[in-house]
Amino acid sequence: MSWELKDIYKALNKDLGKIKNINFKNISIDSRTIKKNDLFIPICGKNFDGHNFINEVSKKGVKACLIEKNKQQLVQNKNIHKIIVNDTVESLKKLATYSREKKKNLTMICITGSTGKTSLKEWLGRVLEKKIKTYVSPGNFNNEIGMPLSLVNMPAETKICVLELGMNNYGEIKELTKISKPTISIITNIGLAHIGNFHKPEEIANEKSEIFSYLEENSFALIPRDSFYYNFLLKRAKRKTKNIISFGADVTSDSNFKKINNYSFLFSILGSKIILKKMNKFLHWEVNVLIILCVLKILKLKTQDFLKFIGKLKPLQGRGQLLKITLKKKSFTLIDESYNSSPQSLKSAIFNSKELVKTKKNLILVIGDMLELGVNSKKMHLEILDVIKKVSPFMVITVGKITKALNENLPRKIKKVHYLSIKHLYERLIEEISDGDIVMIKGSNSINLSKICDKLKKA
């Protein structure tokens, strides 16, 4: 969406008066990447205050910015137009609300869930954009700043918008849903990600279900039939709409899938049936494809027009991406799961890795700490032992403080090493890898295992 200064003032309920109008191409919060035709919104973070960069962006040619009224003394440059507000984050949300309300006929698809929401968002966007003007939120822009920022920069010609809604705490999903006003709400699953910020798992289910809060009668809700919290989610969705579609492997789902053989799946979508070949080893391929097929059905689009695009979908970087790497005359497969980790996603990743192991080939697991799990963190890490025992890898390398207990309780037959940080991990990993091995790397972002993956890829 291109903005004019008069739109900014209108969205913020302010009087433009006789001020000369200004056109903006985008709205930015990043002083490093901002362009001269952008509007700058300074955000106050834990380690920085964007207000300190207003003078810098004005030198780049930026003509206007938002500024909190108690920070005006930080700006010496008189050439930049200052829009005075009480709170820049709340003002960003007002601009996002204005952007959403201007698009009356927009199909707004919002996705939340403990895992898989970014992959589904990207896949859904890649499929839909082949035929319809579709916009998806960039990267993992899913919080109280990232999601509104995505929405204010939505192109004017957008017909379908796909947004990811994330949460770390109470009330966040409802707030983002109030801004985005979804016409299709999707919950991928309910897991224990961020359980440390809640008292019990039921509270996570309740928070995720807030994505239904602003649905209307003709809106749609997609809920996971295989979830332990299915009945609860169904009850919450029914408060707003009758258009509810359950999905999953369960045969009682409105839309379900069934494995025919190692390569083919039968999808049943609201009475229609279709057989598709799985072209990769991504564990959640079938669930994501099922949801995509449901969305195509809701939008009354011809499934056949999109099948070739669905067939080309691949895991995203850091989320199950498979890469063949040759290093020091050894060829091995890297499964890059380094983006983040939670009990549910880690267990899935370990099982998924085992599927790739062939006779006489080794599986090496690199497991980093799972963070934000609260008082039960150690217990949840130790619960991974059962999965590791079933898979029986050649070696497990753990990284961090919490995974030490996991490492100490591994069976003696499994080779094991523990590091507090990634400092010496790369060298040891290269030493242990043999030709033909499978290496799966997964941990929470701050453990920095993505740096090890990047180094392997460059090599």
Side-chain angles (χ1 to χ4, degrees):
M1 174 178 180
S2 58
W3 289 81
E4 294 183 28
L5 189 61
K6 62 181 182 180
D7 293 319
I8 302 295
Y9 272 76
K10 185 177 180 181
L12 298 177
N13 297 313
K14 299 174 73 70
D15 182 19
L16 181 64
K18 296 181 180 181
I19 301 170
K20 185 179 179 181
N21 197 29
I22 304 173
N23 293 312
F24 305 104
K25 190 173 183 181
N26 291 295
I27 294 176
S28 174
I29 63 170
D30 193 338
S31 62
R32 298 165 300 178
T33 59
I34 196 167
K35 305 287 177 57
K36 66 178 183 179
N37 292 321
D38 294 349
L39 171 72
F40 181 57
I41 299 183
I43 302 296
C44 299
K46 291 181 180 179
N47 303 313
F48 65 90
D49 185 345
H51 290 84
N52 293 320
F53 301 98
I54 293 177
N55 291 316
E56 180 183 319
V57 300
S58 66
K59 292 176 183 177
K60 292 183 177 182
V62 174
K63 298 184 177 104
C65 68
L66 266 58
I67 183 169
E68 294 180 357
K69 60 182 179 182
N70 61 344
K71 303 284 181 73
Q72 296 180 67
Q73 72 279 1
L74 296 175
V75 184
Q76 287 81 43
N77 194 314
K78 296 181 180 180
N79 294 324
I80 192 165
H81 177 72
K82 298 181 286 292
I83 305 168
I84 313 302
V85 298
N86 292 323
D87 186 299
T88 51
V89 173
E90 290 305 311
S91 296
L92 173 60
K93 292 177 183 177
K94 288 180 180 179
L95 295 176
T97 301
Y98 181 82
S99 176
R100 172 66 180 100
E101 290 176 349
K102 280 193 73 174
K103 297 286 290 182
K104 302 296 182 183
N105 297 319
L106 178 73
T107 296
M108 175 64 77
I109 303 173
C110 290
I111 303 168
T112 194
S114 297
T115 60
K117 50 188 177 292
T118 303
S119 293
L120 176 60
K121 176 204 69 176
E122 293 293 331
W123 281 17
L124 191 52
R126 290 176 189 180
V127 170
L128 291 171
E129 70 181 2
K130 302 300 181 182
K131 299 288 183 179
I132 306 169
K133 187 62 181 179
T134 303
Y135 171 74
V136 301
S137 51
N140 62 335
F141 277 30
N142 62 16
N143 62 10
E144 67 165 350
I145 296 172
M147 194 285 283
L149 188 62
S150 301
L151 198 46
V152 297
N153 288 315
M154 176 179 63
E157 64 273 20
T158 301
K159 300 297 182 186
I160 299 175
C161 180
V162 187
L163 298 178
E164 175 184 341
L165 310 188
M167 70 168 205
N168 290 313
N169 230 311
Y170 299 98
E172 292 177 347
I173 294 293
K174 189 169 186 177
E175 176 77 4
L176 297 178
T177 305
K178 182 180 180 181
I179 296 169
S180 57
K181 295 289 196 306
T183 48
I184 301 175
S185 290
I186 304 170
I187 297 179
T188 57
N189 51 50
I190 303 294
L192 297 177
H194 311 299
I195 185 63
N197 298 328
F198 298 89
H199 295 103
K200 50 188 178 180
E202 289 81 2
E203 292 183 356
I204 295 178
N206 185 62
E207 288 298 312
K208 296 293 185 186
S209 71
E210 295 288 4
I211 198 172
F212 306 135
S213 297
Y214 294 90
L215 292 180
E216 297 179 353
E217 287 185 8
N218 58 345
S219 303
F220 284 81
L222 274 65
I223 57 178
R225 184 65 181 86
D226 302 327
S227 173
F228 177 79
Y229 299 99
Y230 167 72
N231 288 325
F232 171 78
L233 297 177
L234 179 63
K235 184 178 179 181
R236 289 299 303 270
K238 280 183 176 179
R239 294 179 184 178
K240 293 295 180 178
T241 179
K242 294 180 180 179
N243 299 319
I244 302 169
I245 301 173
S246 62
F247 63 87
D250 193 309
V251 293
T252 64
S253 305
D254 299 316
S255 295
N256 58 72
F257 63 84
K258 179 181 179 182
K259 190 174 184 179
I260 299 174
N261 53 47
N262 289 335
Y263 304 101
S264 299
F265 283 80
L266 172 64
F267 293 91
S268 300
I269 308 97
L270 302 173
S272 300
K273 296 185 182 295
I274 187 169
I275 295 175
L276 293 175
K277 285 189 176 182
K278 185 174 182 177
M279 305 302 287
N280 58 62
K281 293 288 185 178
F282 185 52
L283 186 63
H284 300 294
W285 176 88
E286 46 269 35
V287 177
N288 282 359
V289 169
L290 181 64
I291 296 173
I292 291 170
L293 292 173
C294 285
V295 171
L296 293 178
K297 191 85 169 179
I298 290 170
L299 298 178
K300 298 180 181 179
L301 298 170
K302 292 182 179 179
T303 304
Q304 294 296 327
D305 293 342
F306 297 88
L307 292 185
K308 64 179 179 180
F309 307 122
I310 293 174
K312 294 178 181 178
L313 294 171
K314 295 180 180 179
L316 308 181
Q317 182 174 341
R319 295 174 171 88
Q321 185 184 35
L322 269 67
L323 296 130
K324 287 284 186 180
I325 296 175
T326 300
L327 182 61
K328 294 184 178 180
K329 297 182 179 180
K330 295 184 288 189
S331 181
F332 62 96
T333 299
L334 170 66
I335 306 175
D336 180 3
E337 288 272 7
S338 62
Y339 171 71
N340 215 337
S341 190
S342 65
Q344 183 181 3
S345 64
L346 178 57
K347 291 174 184 177
S348 295
I350 293 172
F351 278 125
N352 194 27
S353 304
K354 181 64 176 177
E355 286 190 9
L356 295 177
V357 180
K358 297 179 181 179
T359 309
K360 297 182 181 179
K361 302 300 180 184
N362 292 327
L363 172 61
I364 299 175
L365 301 177
V366 181
I367 300 173
D369 285 357
M370 298 180 287
L371 304 179
E372 297 185 26
L373 297 181
V375 293
N376 292 316
S377 180
K378 183 178 178 180
K379 177 177 177 288
M380 291 180 185
H381 279 78
L382 289 175
E383 287 174 353
I384 304 299
L385 279 170
D386 290 337
V387 180
I388 294 176
K389 289 175 183 177
K390 289 177 182 178
V391 170
S392 190
F394 163 70
M395 184 177 189
V396 174
I397 303 176
T398 50
V399 185
K401 296 178 181 179
I402 317 170
T403 48
K404 186 176 181 181
L406 171 64
N407 191 285
E408 290 172 345
N409 285 275
L410 287 168
R412 290 185 178 181
K413 65 178 181 178
I414 298 176
K415 192 173 183 178
K416 58 183 182 178
V417 179
H418 179 75
Y419 294 107
L420 281 175
S421 71
I422 63 169
K423 186 175 180 180
H424 302 293
L425 174 58
Y426 179 79
E427 290 75 15
R428 181 59 184 267
L429 190 56
I430 296 304
E431 180 185 316
E432 294 291 346
I433 293 172
S434 298
D435 193 56
D437 283 356
I438 310 294
V439 181
M440 193 283 289
I441 299 179
K442 188 169 183 65
S444 284
N445 285 328
S446 57
I447 306 301
N448 291 318
L449 290 177
S450 59
K451 293 181 179 179
I452 301 300
C453 290
D454 290 344
K455 201 168 182 180
L456 288 170
K457 294 171 189 178
K458 289 177 182 177

